[in-house]
Each structure stands twice: as structure tokens, then as C-alpha cells.
Amino acid sequence: MLIIESTSHDAYVNIASEEFLMKNYPDQDIFLLYVNAPSIIVGKFQNTLAEINLDYVKENNIKVVRRMSGGGAVYHDLGNLNFSFHVPHKDQDFMDFSQFTKPVVDMLNEMGVNAELVGRNDLLVDGKKFSGNAKLSRHGKIVQHGTILIDSEMEILASALKVNPLKFVDKATKSTRSRVTNLIHYLPEGTTTESFKKLLIDFILKENEHAEIHSFTEDEMKEIHKLVEEKYSTWDWNFGFSPNYNFQRAIKVPAGFIEAHIEVERGGNMKKVKIFGDFFASQPIEEFEDYLIGQNHDIDFLEEHLSKIDLTQYFGKVTVEEILPLFK
């Protein structure tokens, strides 16, 4: 088994490294550990916009990254340790999460923390969740990755993943919010994410006779950064990959009340747009609706394009900044 400790806190890099390892180490058991700066990691089959508080995420420079596996959205920060097991598929039971959560549970039990696997894929202490796990099978390998909340900022976690359920109607996989806790309340005083990571590495080394430490080479890092550039940092993957969904939003501006009903197709393009309200328009609102059809449901993209047209023709005295919340 190769034990790899990422030196990067960039969520794009660390999520990309999982795909790189899957493709380039087909027959090798791997244990990867990484810590991300503030970021939200969404499941492959989720509608990203329906899982996050977009305004909060943008204001706080929180990265949003789609992973390869299913499951729900999770918040990462420097108080959250992430681990990832990669093994050849062979005769593995895909739905059995116990094998790769056991080292974490066993180590914590040895430390006097009454951790346990509950349900399919959650680790709990005192009935509260501190670790969620997800899994995928591809290229002849199984990857199971999980989070360990050690000293994460819970208020930010709650705010970043809080979204208005009335905005979205879709068939994407929804995250289930559980009561969560940080392990810091149960660990020896002075424990940090870094010290806990070292303990877990030592435990894996002790339990696996042939385990050895491995570091990414310069060439490997170039390949990982290429994946980041081409996939994991792109709007197309992180947002546009979302399934079809319907979006509804109403705002009040000086020009009046405006309501938008938008149908977005896979790929993130707006397929149908209907605008309602009590505003006054000198030009048919259908022109504005037609202008939006085919455009990305992406705020930065829309801000650029709406700046190129005269919005007052459709909504009276209004600015781009006042209209943008209609699409958030």
C-alpha cells in the first residue's frame, strides 16, 4: 500500500489527484490524505446550485468542486481531514463501507473515542456524525473517500450549504443534512488536524506491513494540474454537469416586482425562460427571454452579457446589479 499525503490545500488539486491515481495506479492499493481550504465538494449526480448558498459561497471565496463519486455535498476546511482508499476491484463488495472506515473507527476506539459506523456510510460519536463516506468504481478500481470533522467551522458549514428549497425543482440527488459534531470535543487537548493526520498515517503503517510513504513526483503533479485546468476548475464540470432542473426566483426592484421561471438543461444552458411582474417595458419582454435562451445559468457569465444590453427597455429604470439576483 502506498500512503500519499497531499501537500496542497487546493480542492481542485486534491479532487483531481483522486482521478489521477485511479487511472495511473490500476493495481496498487493507495491511502491518500488531504486537507482542503474552504470548499464545497458536491456529489457527481447533484445539482450544484441547489446544494449551495451561492451568494455566501462567492462572498467568502469558497471553491465548489464536483467529485467523481455519488452521494451528498460536504463542506471542507482546514479543520477537516479527508482520506481516500484506492484498491483493485477484484471481489470487493461495492456497498460495504465498513472495510475502509474500520481503520478510522479502530484508531479512535484505541484513543477512547466511542466511534462507530452507523447506517451505510456514516461514522458517529454520541449519535452525532463526524464522518461521511462516498464510493465509486471505475477503471477496475474502487475508491472510497471520507471526511473527518476535527475542528471545522460549523457556522460556515451551515451557511455555505444552506439553500432556498423553493428556488429549485429537479430530479438530482439531494443531500441529507444530519446532526454533526467535531471530534475535537472528544480528542486529547491540543489535537489538531495535522497531528490527527500523523496519528492516522502511523496507524495505517502499523496495521499494513508492506505500506510505504509515497510523494507525488514533479511529472505526476504536472498531470494533476492538467486535470485541474481541463476539468476540475471548470464551470462546465462543477456547475454545467448538473442534471436538468427548473429554477424560480422573484425579486423587488425600484422598477417593480419581477419573477423568473427558468428551465435549465443538462450542460447548464437555459432552455426556457418566462418573466412575469408588474414592471413597465418599452420593448416586448419576449425579446429578453429569447436573449437568455441558450445562455449559461452562470452569474458571472450573465453579468457580462447583461451588461451589453439596455435593460431599461424591458424593466424600466433598473441596473444590471439589481437584475442579477433574479438568476441566483
Side-chain angles (χ1 to χ4, degrees), residues 38-106:
S39 49
I40 294 175
I41 315 300
V42 299
K44 182 175 181 182
F45 310 112
Q46 293 193 291
N47 176 359
T48 302
L49 288 173
E51 293 296 329
I52 68 173
N53 181 340
L54 184 61
D55 289 337
Y56 186 89
V57 164
K58 283 182 170 290
E59 288 166 8
N60 290 276
N61 297 313
I62 297 172
K63 285 186 175 178
V64 178
V65 193
R66 186 183 300 279
R67 62 179 184 264
M68 291 186 295
S69 62
V74 291
Y75 173 72
H76 289 178
D77 62 18
L78 298 179
N80 187 335
L81 176 63
N82 305 283
F83 65 97
S84 177
F85 282 97
H86 300 229
V87 297
H89 199 296
K90 297 180 181 176
D91 297 322
Q92 300 283 344
D93 180 357
F94 182 77
M95 297 309 295
D96 179 14
F97 282 80
S98 63
Q99 178 181 356
F100 301 118
T101 54
K102 189 175 187 297
V104 177
V105 171
D106 287 349

Side-chain angles (χ1 to χ4, degrees), residues 155-186:
E155 290 184 4
I156 295 180
L157 183 156
S159 298
L161 294 176
K162 183 179 180 181
V163 69
N164 183 349
L166 299 179
K167 286 186 184 179
F168 291 89
V169 179
D170 62 35
K171 296 181 180 179
T173 304
K174 297 292 190 302
S175 295
T176 301
R177 311 291 183 221
S178 306
R179 283 203 310 154
V180 295
T181 190
N182 277 314
L183 281 180
I184 198 71
H185 306 302
Y186 303 89

Side-chain angles (χ1 to χ4, degrees), residues 4 30 40 43 46 98 106 116 137 141 172 189 193 195-196 210 221 225 235 268 271 298 301:
I4 302 175
I30 293 172
I40 294 175
Q46 293 193 291
S98 63
D106 287 349
E116 57 181 338
S137 175
K141 296 198 79 173
E189 187 175 350
T193 307
S195 65
F196 187 91
H210 302 294
M221 287 307 303
H225 281 286
W235 185 89
K271 183 180 178 182
D298 169 53
F301 179 86

Side-chain angles (χ1 to χ4, degrees), residues 253-315:
V253 297
F257 175 81
I258 309 173
E259 182 177 352
H261 292 241
I262 304 170
E263 184 178 328
V264 184
E265 61 186 353
R266 180 138 187 187
N269 292 331
M270 292 181 281
K271 183 180 178 182
K272 294 181 181 179
V273 179
K274 286 301 296 178
I275 305 293
F276 305 94
D278 59 3
F279 51 88
F280 294 99
S282 61
Q283 295 296 320
I285 195 63
E286 289 79 9
E287 286 184 8
F288 181 71
E289 294 169 347
D290 290 342
Y291 177 77
L292 292 175
I293 291 173
Q295 310 276 27
N296 282 341
H297 187 201
D298 169 53
I299 294 302
D300 293 334
F301 179 86
L302 286 172
E303 182 175 15
E304 177 186 348
H305 281 261
L306 293 181
S307 299
K308 298 175 181 178
I309 63 175
D310 182 5
L311 292 173
T312 61
Q313 295 182 96
Y314 307 109
F315 302 105

